Amino acid sequence: MIDKLEFFIALAREGHFGRAAEECGISQPSLSAAIRQLEEQLGVQLVLRGSRFQGLTPEGQRVLEWARRIVGDARTMREEMRAARKGLAGHIRLAVIPTALAMVPRLTEPFQERHPDVTFSVVSRNSLQVLSHLDNLEIDAGITYLDNEPLGRVTSVPLYSERYNLVTAVGTPFADRESVTWREMADLRLCLLTPDMQNRRIINQHLADAGISVQPMLESNSMVVLLSHVGTGRWASIMPRNVARSFGFARQIRTIPIVEPEASHVVGLVAAHREPFTPLVSALLHEARSLAPGAMA
């Protein structure tokens, strides 16, 4: 039953029998047979079928909620028993918004010092993807904004407050200023994150509150791409404080606080709300809570 539920979760996530089968490491006929067996065991139709996958039935949507809960609990049980035998070990999958990527070592480094047998994989995702991956059991935890858009049913731990600076090359307009206002951004050649990023939506809102609307000359989902363009002197950007320094661009650029208002938004660790947590997630949440206030600022 657990295997069939995992196959069903994969199918709901991929929306395609072939891709779901490939992800699960089985043939497509085997996946289809497992889903049909699950339907027979539960006595309801779960999947709308035609020439291809057409979505889940209402019963399928409800079973998907149960499947995530049951599979998550089964994984927790296995991890707990493994930790009881061998101590804390395993692999933690993290999804992180681009503006927080440079801050990840401040959490992972002390954690790995305490638990040297734990490994990490870290991927860059927008805030909506972080929450979606949590729901679909594709990651163990994420780092995202906590106070700007709805998070749903998650456990969260604040890590730091993100504040915003104008990032511009040395020798360009505003480079020698102590501060700038949001309204002064109107005439700059800006490069910003893409609109699917919550950071971009936050920036758009603050610009709108200042009574202006900007059309970026360049957009990217990579902070490194943005900083590289700022370094040419032809573009400026709006970024969280310390991002440029974290990525090693500090010598080429200046960061000037943006005021009127000086805005901030909380970034933190999120995990799917589940009791009990897996030993790995529980230890990661404990590490995040143990960080002194402002330790990651």
Side-chain angles (χ1 to χ4, degrees), residues 4 31-41 44 49:
K4 294 185 182 74
L31 178 77
S32 298
I35 300 300
R36 289 194 182 277
Q37 289 168 12
L38 184 60
E39 290 176 321
E40 291 171 3
Q41 286 177 281
V44 294
R49 295 176 179 85

Side-chain angles (χ1 to χ4, degrees), residues 7 9 19-20 24 42 50 59 63 81 91 105 108 110 170 174 191 203 224 242 245 254-255 278 294:
F7 298 160
I9 292 171
R19 290 197 298 270
C24 295
L42 297 176
E59 295 82 2
V63 169
M81 295 304 100
H91 186 73
T108 55
V170 172
F174 299 124
C191 55
I203 288 171
V224 172
N242 293 332
R245 186 179 298 113
R254 287 285 320 280
T255 56
T278 68

Side-chain angles (χ1 to χ4, degrees), residues 101-118:
L101 284 170
M103 303 300 181
V104 175
R106 304 193 189 180
L107 176 64
T108 55
E109 183 179 10
F111 182 92
Q112 223 167 25
E113 286 181 1
R114 297 178 193 268
H115 310 290
D117 293 327
V118 176

